[in-house]
Amino acid sequence: MHLTNFLDARNICIERRVLTKEQVYAQMVENICHHRKLPVCGKELLELILKRDREATTAYPTGIAIPHIRMDGFDDTVMAMTFLQNPLDYEGTKVSWVVLIITDKSSSKLYLNMVAALLGVSRDQALSASLTSLQDSHAVIHRLKQLDIEVKKDLTIADIMVQNPVSVGPDTLLRGLSDIMSERDISSVPVTDADGKYLGEV
């Protein structure tokens, strides 16, 4: 299955204005709800998405944010995209590409596979920049079709693992560890020896 199978040009925005995250999400919700019948729509859906966003950040260091919601009584998957000329600030992470995914509660595997595919694209900075610079939604779909991005049926650890994680040595001071965890907003760090051999985790 290809990523473009989940896309509708009416749900893709090229945004040149300076907007808040809430305004971007509201626009995406409005576009989806205008064309699709969902069990929850409008302000109620927006609040659910913002609540989920407050629980855990949806932004990735590659400049993409992937807010999502799993919905009871909905047996489909819908995606909306916004490409931002003026990036949003997600607590220090600059985001130029927001992808909203709405799925049913039983589609967690599909959702994770979609995230893995999107993260793969976002890791290519030149490609992400070229998508952001496109002039309209049809051009975005055309470019994504050219890329032939597949949403895998099976997800592997390599698709979602953190590449090149920061690590500490066993002699690192707790103060240094605390600084690293705060700066990178992470909750665990591998401990390695001078040769990079894994010793444990804190």
Side-chain angles (χ1 to χ4, degrees), residues 4 11 18 20 25 29 32 39 62 67 70 75 83 96 122 132-133 136 138 154 167 169-170 179 187 199:
T4 50
N11 293 337
V18 176
T20 65
Y25 288 7
V29 165
I32 289 172
T62 53
R70 293 190 184 111
D75 61 356
F83 295 92
S96 299
S122 72
T132 304
S133 70
D136 64 62
H138 294 286
D154 293 311
S167 63
D179 290 344
S187 59
L199 300 175

Side-chain angles (χ1 to χ4, degrees), residues 21-199:
K21 178 170 67 171
E22 290 78 7
Q23 289 171 318
V24 171
Y25 288 7
Q27 180 178 305
M28 297 170 96
V29 165
E30 182 180 337
N31 286 345
I32 289 172
C33 292
H34 187 72
H35 304 291
R36 294 296 300 267
K37 184 162 176 59
L38 302 175
V40 176
C41 246
K43 288 183 181 179
E44 188 178 353
L45 177 56
L46 176 61
E47 280 307 312
L48 288 172
I49 295 164
L50 290 170
K51 180 182 177 206
R52 172 67 184 84
D53 222 44
R54 287 189 292 269
E55 292 169 1
T57 185
T58 57
Y60 294 86
T62 53
I64 189 172
I66 311 176
H68 71 283
I69 203 82
R70 293 190 184 111
M71 195 177 282
D72 282 321
F74 183 60
D75 61 356
D76 203 354
T77 298
V78 178
M79 188 186 325
M81 292 183 177
T82 299
F83 295 92
L84 299 154
Q85 302 290 322
N86 297 287
L88 294 172
D89 187 337
Y90 280 68
E91 299 173 5
T93 301
K94 295 293 184 196
V95 169
S96 299
W97 183 13
V98 180
V99 182
L100 172 62
I101 301 174
I102 302 173
T103 64
D104 65 282
K105 290 219 170 179
S106 64
S107 293
S108 58
K109 181 179 173 182
L110 175 62
Y111 162 73
L112 289 173
N113 290 348
M114 292 172 79
V115 169
L118 289 162
L119 286 176
V121 175
S122 72
R123 285 188 192 110
D124 184 330
Q125 291 182 344
L127 177 55
S128 290
S130 75
L131 285 168
T132 304
S133 70
L134 293 172
Q135 298 302 309
D136 64 62
S137 58
H138 294 286
V140 171
I141 288 184
H142 179 71
R143 182 69 179 112
L144 290 172
K145 278 184 179 175
Q146 287 178 326
L147 295 170
D148 198 28
I149 302 160
E150 187 144 352
V151 176
K152 294 181 182 179
K153 291 183 178 174
D154 293 311
L155 192 66
T156 65
I157 295 299
D159 292 322
I160 59 171
M161 71 181 185
V162 175
Q163 296 178 349
N164 304 316
V166 64
S167 63
V168 295
D171 56 349
T172 301
L173 296 175
L174 285 176
R175 179 177 55 243
L177 173 67
S178 177
D179 290 344
I180 289 169
M181 294 173 93
S182 293
E183 286 168 13
R184 298 194 178 232
D185 193 25
I186 53 177
S187 59
S188 63
V189 179
V191 181
T192 59
D193 66 14
D195 297 321
K197 180 181 175 188
Y198 178 80
L199 300 175

